[in-house]
Structure formats: structure tokens, C-alpha cells
Amino acid sequence: MKKSAIALAVGVALSGLLAACGGSDDGPADVPSVSNPNKFFNRTATFAVCAQVGSSCEDSTPTAAEIVAASEDGMTLVYTNSLKGEVGFVDIVDPAAPKALGKLAMGGEPTSVTVLGSHALVAVNTSANFINASGKLVVVDIAKRSVVTEIQLGGQPDSVARSKDGKYVAVVIENERDESVNKGALPQAPSGYLTIVDTVGAPATWKTRNVELKGLATLYPEDAEPEYVSINDDNVAVVTLQENNHIALVDLPTGKVTRHFSAGAVTLTQVDLTDAPRPNSVNLTETQANRLREPDGVTWLSKAQFATANEGDLNGGSRGFTIFNTDGTVAYDAGNTLEHLVARIGHTNDKRSDAKGNEPENVAFGRFDGTDYLFVASERSSVLAVYDMGQKNQPVFKQVLPAALAPEGVLAIPSRNLLIAASENDDRATNSTLRSALNIYQYQSAPAAYPTIQSANRADGTPIPWSALSGLAAAPTGSIVYGIDDSFFRGNRIFEIDTSTKPASLKREIRITDPNGKIAALAATLPAAKDANAFDATDLAALVNADGSVNLDPEGISLASAGGFWIASEGAGTVGDAARPVLSANLVFKLSASGVIEEIIQLPAEVNAKQQRFGFEGIAESNGKLVVAFQRAWAGETQPRIGVYDLAAKTWQFMFYPLDAVTSPNKGWVGLSEITALGNNRFVVIERDNQGGPDARVKKLYRIDLTGVANGATLTKTLMRDVLPDLRKTNGLVVEKIEGFAVLANGDALLVNDNDGVDENNGETWLFNLGKLNLN
């Protein structure tokens, strides 16, 4: 659990599922199959927490949904909103149409919640500071949404759980450390403990007992920091002591610690331990020896086994999950498989590579239609991995589910075939499109809808890591498309994607290189001195990495009629803006089929003199010409340009594109994101606003015709499709950056979004097949 809120389009082939779990593409023959192979979990709705504030989330106040519980009948969700100091209520009688039921102030920071009978039991932190810790258990009438009573706990609570028989509630009193003191090193008083609440009778009569946890762990024994608790059918509580890398079992009737043991360590191989930014993306080639598990979330699987999410905190985090026997022995450890899974589906958060990787935050367990499932929530990759637990000590990967940003709470409701994920991150205060949300998934007789793209393996058996798809181009025949990543990883690649499979298979990566010195040759023609208002040789040299790869910002890709590819690289910086000086120009690169730079095309000097930081966003070759789309208007202009470069004459012409007006309640801007040739001088462009989730309004495909249009003229446009309804079919928050569009040889139109390299993004990548559009 987080320290503080302050602080596959259809189906997944079994072979792909096994590959995502770390096996080969064909799947090892000895891997057991999953139960109920025709049933999967799919997201049926998303409830944005801001909907409690306004119907369209116009309010800019950040919100959070950290931990979630459900009423006994499974019809009402109760979640903690630590940022606002309240709990919220959501009606899920119809799980496809959740409704806001309001919120209730807690008089402190709610950290966890469970349900007992008609009451929600909320752990609330009321501490004045880290030394003077205090808290309370607030008993709430769910139907009336009112406080029944409050029970003082004497310290800062974190996790709370109830026993199946209703006799006990266990509250972890963490008394968390101050991370600003001595770099967060332990020990730091006061130590934590476990509080048992005897819940017989009316809530006002409930009594508490404390269980001492000091002196158990080898690490920092004088400062126990318990983190999470779960109770089995024998009324035994398992408590994780995260920073102490320890686990304790407590008999609730007697209040005795019956067993305790170290959570141990793992040696991870073929993982990425180096953060972005750096060239060459995610490298699953490094080893991390003896990494402490430091478990966070925990759940019982049976009376004799439990699973932990090994998020890590102080000195560890093994990037996976572990199944323990109650004697402390390890029955199963996930090793590097979660790291490989998120790399395979484009969800690696490379800015966390040197820390705790995907950070498994929490686990939940439930039996659906006779099959036991374990759910593992990854905080940094924003997914839930689902495992079939039908065979003891052999979790079998079933599927992966997309979640809103940073899932924290996970709740299985088997009685209604529902699964809930509470994602706490909400960056609205920074004008982000990311909103805290509750994702609702349903177990159903339907193929898995996510992922829509997953990669094959490299020669070393690790998945091809990918992310940040910013353009798309279709091969002239068949089902192959080519995507490209943008500047996030500073080592650009082209991806060959076979769309005939479900999910689509990213089969090959083509690294862009400059062995012939084309960039250096262009640099020799530019001024050597740095000029904030112009692109010079110093800026150009920075585009070449030491390993021969290049650091461009490819935002568009097109197949070249002579073979190979055209790439449109967006410039960086704005002329005359000291805060955003020009660091690169908008350039067109001709590449061979193997990614070697063969030619570089520049804009005219008089156009470069108007550069704004929103430049090239798409490229298409047609009828001997290159056509590039600028995202937004440049200096002194009111509309973005469409540039036309004659390949034979080597001359430019420019037209202007009339954008839709801004209509989002969150304001923002509208611009172009892609251009695709249809033939006969006709092109499709993506026009979108920079809004996502409930704020998204403009996500459209327009057709333009350049026939007979004079240099400097304003184009006319014809709406082909408003794709906002298509984006809403994911039942998640609407993705903001749709940036790739292509038309297959059979006429199917494909649309893909850019997930920003999972940087302040939940990582969802959706490859939509829109069917056959009317392109005339």
C-alpha cells in the first residue's frame, strides 16, 4: 500500500498468453492450460472519481480512489479518497453504468476500508506528524452514508481487514517513517503494531486489543512497520512488514503471533535496471542479485497459503509476487515474468527501471465459476495480471487488464462476477488528462479485449520492448503495418506489426541508424555556434547517439515507393522563446528498409524562422510528392500548415488547414496528429484535442483533397468519422493521443494511440480496427 497519498481488439491466443508469461511464442509444452478457456475478465465501465464533484468533471480539484470495498450484496462500492479526506460511494447495481452516490468527510486521511454487515469500516490517519501518530476506525452506515461511531486506535493506521465470521477486524498500525529524515532510514520511532477489534455487538461497544510486532524481524527489529493484513477462514491474520522484509501470522482470538519469518530475497535476471532517458529503450539484459522482496499487499489463497505483492520500499522490491506456505517456505515466485509481461504489451515505465520496475502493489483472490484466480496490480505499469490458480503452486497466466493510472486497491466480487480496481493517481492540478478512477471488470463468456498489440521475442528469449507508438503505415498488400516510436526512449525504432492475429503481433524491430554520416554532413552546412533562435550544428550532433542509433522525434511514417520508409521528425523548441529554445528542426528522413538514413530534407529557411514547438505530426508519400502535417499554427499564423514537397523538383508548397474549435470544458488546444494517403491527391488527417477521459471532445478523421489547391490557400475538409464513440468502447477513460492511422489493402482502417512511453500515462495502447470506411 502506498505510504501516503500526499507522499487481447478480440481474444488472446493461448500461445500469446504463455509468451506473455515468459515462455516462447509457441508456449512450452509442459505449461498447464487454464480453466474456463472461453471466459475472461473484460472492463465493462470506468467511474471517474471526479464525477462525484461535477457531471463532466469540470472541477480541477485532484481526487483519489485508493482502496475499495463493496457492500455485502455487492451493489455499492465504498472507496477511500485520501486527498480529500473522505470516502465516496458508487452505485454499481448496473456494473456497466456506475452512478455517483456522494461522499462523506472522515476528519482525517482515510487509508483503507472494509465492510462488515451494513457498515463500512474506515481506517483514518489523524496524525499531527510522524512522531505524534494517531488514528481512528470510523464506522459508517452505508445506506445512510453517515458516521455511526469512531474507535480510537492510538497510532497511524494503514490496512484494515475483517474476518469471514464477522467476529474480528484487524487494523495495521503502520506509524510510517519520515522519508525526509536521514533519507528515510530506519529505525524511526514510534514502532507499528496490529490492532484487533472485537466486533461482537453494536459498534459503540466494540473493544480493541493491540499485538506487539517489535522484535520479530532481523531488519530494524525495534521499528516494526506493518503494511498490509489479510484474514483467513481460521481467523489467522497475515501481516506484511514491508520495510522489515518480514511476515507475521497472528491468531486473532488469542492475539498471539504464532509464526513469523523473513520474506527473503530474489535474484532477478534479464531485467532492465537503467532509467530513461537514454538510447535504445528498455534493455532486459541486467541482473539484480539478492533483491529483498519487501512485500506490500497480501491475500490468503487457502488456510495454508497466501500471496504477496513484492512492491518494495526501502531496500528492495522484487518486481513480482510470491506464494508462501504458512511455515515460511516459498511455494512459487514470479521472478522476472511480470517485468517481461509489461514489456511485451507496451506498459514498461522506463523511468522506474532503476527503482522497483513495474512495482506490484497489491493482490486479490477470488473464485469465479469454480476457478480460483489471483489478481496482481502493478502500480507503475497500471495493469492487473490475472492468474489461474487451479493447480497448486503453479499459477498460470490467463490475461492482463488495463487499469487507470496507478491501481492501488483490488477487490474481487465473485457473487456478481465482478472485479474492481481503484487507481489513485489524478494529475488534473498539472492540467493532465489523467483522472483517478474505479475500473469495473466482468467475468464473461467473451474473448479478452486487451491487449491489442503484444510483441514476439528477441533472440535472447526476452520480449521486444515497445511503447509510444506515434505513427502508422500499411504495407501495400496483406495485413502488415509499420509503427514508430517517438523521442521518449532517445533511440528510435520502426516496428513491424502483423494485424492478422488477435492481438496483433509486433514481430520485428528496425533500429534507425546513420552509419553513412548523413546527419554529420547536414551539420557541416549549419552554423557551429549555439543560437537559441535557430537550429545549428551543435543541436544536430545531439541527434546521434554513441552507439550509432539516433535520437529523433518521429511522429509520422510512410512507406517509400522506391523502398524503405519516410519519417517525419518533429522539431523541438520555439523561435524567440528563451524558456523553450530551438533544439531541433522539423526534418524528413528517407530510410532504407533496414533503417539506415539515406537522405534528409529540410524546410525552407523562411518557414523554419516561424517554428513553434508543435511541428511535424505525420507524413505520406503520394504521386511523387511528400505531404506533411504540422500539428498547430506557427508564428504569425492562425492555422496549421500542410506541406507538400515535390520529390523531383525538390521544392515546397504549403496550404493551411482549418481546425475545429476548442470545445472541451478543460479548454486546451486542437491540432493535427497524422496524415495518410488515399490516392488521387486525397488524404485522411487525424484532428484531435489534447484532452482525455471525461474532458475529451475532438477526436475525428477528416478527408482533404489537394487537387488544384494553390500555394498558400486554405483547404476544405470533409468529416469521415468522429472516433470518440470508438474510443469510448474500451470502457475506460478516453485515451488522448490518437496518433496513427492506416488503411490495409483490404480496406480496413486502423487507428492507434500513443501512450507517451508510460510517462505520466497509464500505458494503454489500443489498436482499433474501424472496418471499411467510406473513403470517397
Side-chain angles (χ1 to χ4, degrees):
M1 189 173 293
K2 199 171 182 66
K3 286 303 182 183
S4 168
I6 299 176
L8 264 145
V10 178
V12 179
L14 180 59
S15 61
L17 289 168
L18 296 175
C21 196
S24 68
D25 285 337
D26 295 328
D30 60 345
V31 173
S33 61
V34 297
S35 306
N36 293 332
N38 297 318
K39 300 191 76 171
F40 290 88
F41 294 88
N42 281 309
R43 188 167 55 194
T44 187
T46 296
F47 178 82
V49 177
C50 53
Q52 296 277 25
V53 181
S55 60
S56 297
C57 291
E58 295 91 347
D59 192 282
S60 61
T61 304
T63 60
E66 188 173 9
I67 300 298
V68 61
S71 58
E72 298 281 7
D73 62 4
M75 298 295 179
T76 303
L77 298 180
V78 186
Y79 64 87
T80 59
N81 184 343
S82 56
L83 290 178
K84 298 285 289 180
E86 63 194 25
V87 292
F89 305 86
V90 182
D91 177 341
I92 59 166
V93 171
D94 180 356
K99 299 176 183 177
L101 289 177
K103 50 197 186 297
L104 180 65
M106 289 289 99
E109 177 194 8
T111 58
S112 187
V113 61
T114 190
V115 166
L116 178 59
S118 60
H119 299 125
L121 313 180
V122 187
V124 180
N125 178 16
T126 58
S127 303
N129 50 53
F130 290 97
I131 301 299
N132 299 292
S134 65
K136 59 187 179 181
L137 186 69
V138 180
V139 181
V140 175
D141 185 306
I142 298 173
K144 296 179 180 179
R145 296 188 287 283
S146 61
V147 174
V148 174
T149 191
E150 297 183 352
I151 301 169
Q152 297 304 310
L153 297 172
Q156 173 253 315
D158 201 337
S159 172
V160 58
R162 47 108 7 133
S163 64
K164 185 177 180 179
D165 62 12
K167 293 180 179 180
Y168 308 100
V169 167
V171 186
V172 162
I173 306 299
E174 182 181 9
N175 290 340
E176 63 182 331
R177 74 188 196 278
D178 185 347
E179 296 186 19
S180 68
V181 174
N182 195 22
K183 297 183 179 180
L186 294 181
Q188 291 184 23
S191 178
Y193 50 92
L194 182 73
T195 292
I196 301 171
V197 184
D198 295 303
T199 52
V200 177
T205 68
W206 293 350
K207 305 298 182 183
T208 63
R209 296 174 280 137
N210 292 341
V211 180
E212 183 60 72
L213 299 175
K214 281 199 300 184
L216 303 182
T218 301
L219 290 173
Y220 324 113
E222 67 272 43
D223 184 8
E225 291 213 11
E227 190 77 24
Y228 212 93
V229 61
S230 179
I231 304 172
N232 72 9
D233 289 354
D234 283 340
N235 287 335
V236 175
V238 56
V239 181
T240 57
L241 287 72
Q242 188 170 18
E243 287 82 354
N244 309 94
N245 195 44
H246 212 72
I247 296 169
L249 302 181
V250 179
D251 180 72
L252 295 180
T254 64
K256 302 294 185 181
V257 175
T258 58
R259 184 167 285 157
H260 64 91
F261 42 84
S262 169
V266 177
T267 292
L268 297 172
T269 61
Q270 292 186 314
V271 293
D272 182 25
L273 305 177
T274 308
D275 277 3
R278 46 84 191 273
N280 292 336
S281 175
V282 176
N283 294 302
L284 299 170
T285 59
E286 298 174 271
T287 297
Q288 194 169 54
N290 300 316
R291 184 72 167 176
L292 301 181
R293 289 190 173 96
E294 290 191 349
D296 189 346
V298 62
T299 185
W300 286 97
L301 307 177
S302 67
K303 293 179 180 181
Q305 288 188 324
F306 56 86
T308 62
N310 303 327
E311 179 204 20
D313 196 353
L314 187 58
N315 299 304
S318 63
R319 308 183 182 215
F321 65 94
T322 303
I323 297 174
F324 287 95
N325 299 313
T326 52
D327 64 0
T329 57
V330 172
Y332 175 87
D333 190 273
N336 63 16
T337 57
L338 269 179
E339 288 288 276
H340 288 192
L341 168 62
V342 297
R344 191 180 300 281
I345 63 171
H347 276 257
T348 295
N349 186 331
D350 200 23
K351 287 191 173 181
R352 300 294 301 175
S353 290
D354 74 330
K356 295 170 284 184
N358 76 90
E359 268 185 57
E361 175 82 13
N362 208 346
V363 283
F365 177 75
R367 174 168 291 183
F368 290 78
D369 195 17
T371 299
D372 290 339
Y373 290 109
L374 177 67
F375 308 96
V376 183
S378 166
E379 180 181 7
R380 300 296 179 172
S381 292
S382 298
V383 294
L384 271 62
V386 183
Y387 295 87
D388 184 320
M389 303 297 291
Q391 301 186 52
K392 187 175 181 179
N393 302 338
Q394 283 190 295
V396 179
F397 176 79
K398 183 175 178 69
Q399 67 179 123
V400 64
L401 298 168
L405 189 61
E408 176 93 9
V410 187
L411 174 69
I413 312 177
S415 63
R416 299 197 63 205
N417 281 328
L418 297 179
L419 174 70
I420 314 295
S423 293
E424 65 172 338
N425 276 21
D426 189 321
D427 293 331
R428 182 59 177 269
T430 60
N431 202 36
S432 170
T433 65
L434 302 169
R435 305 310 306 263
S436 175
L438 297 170
N439 282 147
I440 303 172
Y441 313 90
Q442 192 168 46
Y443 190 57
Q444 53 190 219
S445 296
Y450 197 82
T452 58
I453 302 174
Q454 68 178 21
S455 67
N457 285 343
R458 286 174 166 170
D460 64 358
T462 64
I464 298 172
W466 62 276
S467 199
L469 295 182
S470 59
L472 211 59
T477 61
S479 57
I480 298 296
V481 295
Y482 295 91
I484 191 163
D485 59 11
D486 59 23
S487 62
F488 180 78
F489 295 111
R490 303 193 178 187
N492 307 117
R493 295 170 295 161
I494 296 170
F495 302 109
E496 182 181 300
I497 304 170
D498 182 355
T499 65
S500 68
T501 63
K502 304 294 182 183
S505 175
L506 194 157
K507 300 168 55 176
R508 186 164 68 106
E509 56 186 333
I510 304 169
R511 192 164 300 284
I512 302 176
T513 59
D514 187 24
N516 301 319
K518 295 294 184 179
I519 291 178
L522 178 59
T525 68
L526 299 177
K530 178 62 186 158
D531 181 348
N533 292 324
F535 182 56
D536 56 35
T538 302
D539 300 320
L540 200 59
L543 301 183
V544 182
N545 299 317
D547 64 356
S549 63
V550 297
N551 174 24
L552 311 177
D553 188 9
E555 294 289 347
I557 181 172
S558 175
L559 270 69
S561 58
F565 306 93
W566 294 105
I567 300 297
S569 180
E570 186 176 22
T574 297
V575 172
D577 186 346
R580 292 192 176 99
V582 173
L583 298 177
S584 64
N586 293 267
L587 300 169
V588 173
F589 292 85
K590 171 62 174 64
L591 310 178
S592 72
S594 60
V596 173
I597 295 175
E598 298 177 332
E599 181 184 358
I600 305 174
I601 300 171
Q602 302 181 75
L603 287 169
E606 63 273 17
V607 178
N608 280 333
K610 298 174 177 287
Q611 178 172 316
Q612 304 289 291
R613 67 187 185 96
F614 300 98
F616 285 170
E617 280 290 319
I619 187 168
E621 182 191 341
S622 181
N623 299 327
K625 296 180 174 61
L626 295 177
V627 182
V628 293
F630 293 50
Q631 188 168 70
R632 295 172 62 189
W634 280 16
E637 299 169 349
T638 58
Q639 298 168 327
R641 292 178 178 235
I642 299 292
V644 181
Y645 182 78
D646 189 306
L647 289 168
K650 299 187 183 303
T651 56
W652 284 96
Q653 286 187 312
F654 298 94
M655 297 84 178
F656 292 92
Y657 180 92
L659 292 170
D660 284 3
V662 173
T663 56
S664 173
N666 196 38
K667 304 296 188 289
W669 50 260
V670 174
L672 298 178
S673 284
E674 171 73 295
I675 189 165
T676 302
L678 298 176
N680 298 322
N681 272 332
R682 295 172 307 135
F683 300 84
V684 174
V685 296
I686 293 176
E687 188 173 337
R688 67 169 178 88
D689 55 19
N690 65 332
Q691 304 301 307
D695 298 307
R697 293 295 184 276
V698 180
K699 311 290 180 187
K700 298 177 180 179
L701 301 177
Y702 281 103
R703 186 178 67 248
I704 57 175
D705 191 334
L706 303 187
T707 303
V709 179
N711 188 37
T714 297
L715 295 162
T716 58
K717 62 183 185 180
T718 301
L719 179 65
M720 292 182 61
R721 188 179 185 121
D722 182 347
V723 297
L724 195 53
D726 298 286
L727 303 184
R728 288 177 175 147
K729 290 178 182 178
T730 69
N731 295 322
L733 297 175
V734 172
V735 294
E736 174 209 349
K737 298 177 71 173
I738 49 171
E739 295 209 340
F741 179 82
V743 181
L744 296 175
N746 69 358
D748 283 357
L750 304 181
L751 183 71
V752 74
N753 68 292
D754 176 0
N755 72 4
D756 282 331
V758 203
D759 181 22
E760 296 185 353
N761 190 299
N762 73 331
E764 287 188 35
T765 298
W766 288 92
L767 179 64
F768 298 92
N769 189 322
L770 303 178
K772 293 172 176 58
L773 305 185
N774 181 6
L775 304 177
N776 297 315

